[in-house]
């Protein structure tokens, strides 16, 4: 059986390199047969894709997608400093 830190590294590499995701800021934790994804993304579709890639990379683990979707707003007015 592969050591948990190697599985986590393999999943993180897949999340970064897969053409569907290209995501670097996701934390991957392994606890027994459980894989936890944590972090923030700007859309629900990206969250789902990350879960899919993680499952494909480590199919024997139960994936818990705890990634939060955050709203990205357009910048407001320029801040003027006197």
């Amino acid at each position: 059986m592969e050591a948990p830190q190697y599985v986590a590294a393999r999943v993180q590499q897949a999340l970064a390199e897969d053409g569907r995701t290209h995501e670097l800021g996701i934390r991957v934790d392994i606890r027994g047969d459980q894989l936890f994804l944590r972090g923030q993304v700007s859309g629900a579709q990206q969250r789902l894709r990350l879960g899919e890639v993680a499952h494909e990379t480590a199919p024997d683990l139960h994936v818990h997608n705890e990634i939060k979707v955050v709203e990205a707003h357009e910048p407001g007015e320029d801040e003027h400093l006197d």
Side-chain angles (χ1 to χ4, degrees):
M1 180 177 207
E2 193 174 12
Q5 63 268 27
Y6 294 126
V7 177
R10 192 164 36 87
V11 172
Q12 282 184 311
Q13 182 175 4
L15 297 178
E17 295 178 355
D18 191 284
R20 296 168 287 174
T21 53
H22 294 295
E23 192 68 53
L24 296 172
I26 301 301
R27 196 170 87 226
V28 178
D29 295 313
I30 309 289
R31 300 279 183 259
D33 66 347
Q34 311 291 305
L35 183 151
F36 296 87
L37 298 175
R38 295 185 177 106
Q40 296 179 342
V41 295
S42 60
Q45 288 289 15
Q46 179 71 346
R47 180 183 183 275
L48 291 174
R49 285 190 295 263
L50 289 162
E52 290 170 1
V53 171
H55 177 70
E56 291 168 7
T57 306
D60 295 335
L61 299 179
H62 181 71
V63 176
H64 297 274
N65 191 340
E66 297 179 355
I67 297 170
K68 292 182 177 30
V69 176
V70 295
E71 292 289 323
H73 298 287
E74 291 290 323
E77 284 185 33
D78 291 340
E79 182 179 0
H80 297 284
L81 304 175
D82 294 326

